[in-house]
Amino acid sequence: GAREKLLKAMEKDGGMDKSRGYNLGYTGNNESLGEFQDFIRERLGTEYHKMGQLFGNRVHVGPGASAIAVFLN
């Protein structure tokens, strides 16, 4: 699904720099992040550095959306 495509796109672009970790974001409340967070942690084998709520006029997704930000190699 979408999560697998996300990881493939990251790998295509050089892969994640695991020494720098990753940041997670969400819309709505952080309870909706749980399954996504578990998937990412399991697949990337590292912990996140920060988790925060996404808001503002640049975010055009509905409640319950999840996001990841990484540094690429």
Side-chain angles (χ1 to χ4, degrees), residues 25-63:
Y26 58 91
T27 60
N29 62 47
N30 65 356
E31 291 173 8
S32 63
L33 188 62
E35 191 177 309
F36 181 68
Q37 179 181 348
D38 293 343
F39 172 82
I40 294 297
R41 182 186 300 129
E42 191 175 289
R43 295 297 301 273
L44 297 181
T46 188
E47 291 292 322
Y48 63 87
H49 285 238
K50 186 174 181 180
M51 177 174 62
Q53 188 171 17
L54 302 172
F55 62 92
N57 63 357
R58 296 183 186 264
V59 178
H60 299 286
V61 296

